Amino acid sequence: MKIVVIGGTGLIGSKTVARLSKLGHDVLAASPNSGVNTVTGEGLDEALAGAEVVIDLANSPSFEEKAAMDFFEAAGRNLFAAEKKAGVRHHVALSVVGTDRMQAMGYFRAKLLQEEHIQKSGIPFTIVHATQFFEFVGAIAQSATEGSIVRAPTGAFQPIAADNVADAMAKVAVGQPMNSITEIAGPDRGPMNEFIALYLKATNDPRTVTADPTARYFEVEIDDRTLVPDAGAHLGDIRFEDWLKSNSAQQK
């Protein structure tokens, strides 16, 4: 079937496109670079013509609340209109585990609004809540850095490999709409500071990690519930330490 992947050239998008193409589907990787812009609506009708499934992986280029709100409002409005016109039968979207628990940050208020728009769109949907990607741990460390010290939160953390996220997105896309949220996470759970320390060690980063229960994940105070999924989440099979070893080997 024809599947359109919005944000199909990004980290998760390119991996998802590859998996669906390997399964024999007609997959279109849509992005502004290919003439498809959900914010302006440019190219959407043409891209979605004949599509049965749309996977929305596009993300706001800014974490600032108004910019994120404006992005998700415009993108959702244009995308749902084009999907209804094309007769799309399944809208699949990627969001974040704990979005409803991180409303202290404007970006997550925008993400929650995006989810509400999806649920009210009238188009059958599945929202995939993922934990933070392994590939994002470096940015988390950077956000918590003061000089040569990383003041890292100690709340529970259960990140997932981008490859496992793409596996899940492809599986959901070829399945029936759930009209609900499903959660995915990595196989390992522990304090965030321990994951950051492992990452810095594997990348030969000289910064020192200090475990700080009061430190924030960007603007959000976290505890052992904030960032982790409920029981019954689908777990990826790539372990963080194995991913670190593999990436270190590839960089040599």
Side-chain angles (χ1 to χ4, degrees):
M1 58 185 166
K2 181 177 177 180
I3 301 173
V4 177
V5 182
I6 305 295
T9 57
L11 173 64
I12 305 300
S14 58
K15 293 176 181 293
T16 302
V17 166
R19 283 155 174 75
L20 291 168
S21 297
K22 191 174 180 179
L23 292 173
H25 298 288
D26 176 13
V27 188
L28 174 63
S31 70
N33 288 339
S34 67
V36 182
N37 190 317
T38 55
V39 174
T40 65
E42 177 192 0
L44 270 179
D45 287 346
E46 295 82 0
L48 267 58
E52 293 185 52
V53 179
V54 170
I55 304 175
D56 185 9
L57 300 173
N59 199 10
S60 168
S62 171
F63 274 7
E64 191 274 321
E65 181 171 10
K66 186 179 185 305
M69 285 282 188
D70 290 347
F71 176 88
F72 289 122
E73 284 272 9
R77 181 174 61 251
N78 292 328
L79 193 51
F80 296 137
E83 287 181 14
K84 288 174 181 176
K85 189 181 297 185
V88 168
R89 64 169 186 80
H90 192 183
H91 178 96
V92 180
L94 180 62
S95 192
V96 186
V97 164
T99 290
D100 59 333
R101 298 188 288 273
M102 291 189 282
Q103 292 299 291
M105 184 173 173
Y107 171 78
F108 289 105
R109 290 195 287 273
K111 285 297 290 182
L112 189 61
L113 188 66
Q114 178 198 24
E115 293 182 17
E116 291 170 354
H117 286 334
I118 292 168
Q119 292 165 340
K120 296 174 182 176
S121 69
I123 297 168
F125 70 91
T126 303
I127 298 173
V128 179
H129 270 189
T131 53
Q132 289 66 33
F133 309 153
F134 291 170
E135 291 80 358
F136 194 42
V137 173
I140 296 173
Q142 186 59 39
S143 74
T145 296
E146 298 175 0
S148 62
I149 304 297
V150 181
R151 290 181 58 247
T154 57
F157 195 50
Q158 195 172 345
I160 184 171
D163 278 317
N164 281 162
V165 177
D167 292 339
M169 298 307 293
K171 184 177 180 179
V172 167
V174 299
Q176 293 300 310
M178 298 174 66
N179 293 316
S180 63
I181 295 169
T182 184
E183 293 186 318
I184 60 174
D188 302 312
R189 179 183 295 196
M192 181 183 283
N193 59 286
E194 293 183 4
F195 282 90
I196 291 175
L198 286 170
Y199 178 86
L200 296 184
K201 181 179 180 181
T203 55
N204 297 314
D205 192 308
R207 286 177 290 177
T208 300
V209 177
T210 298
D212 184 349
T214 67
R216 300 191 174 208
Y217 169 69
F218 293 94
E219 299 167 31
V220 182
E221 291 182 9
I222 67 169
D223 56 26
D224 284 343
R225 180 77 190 93
T226 311
L227 298 178
V228 295
D230 294 327
H234 298 277
L235 303 184
D237 60 1
I238 301 173
R239 305 196 64 177
F240 187 61
E241 290 194 59
D242 292 337
W243 177 84
L244 286 173
K245 290 174 186 174
S246 175
N247 275 36
S248 297
Q250 290 174 14
Q251 291 169 7
K252 289 179 179 177

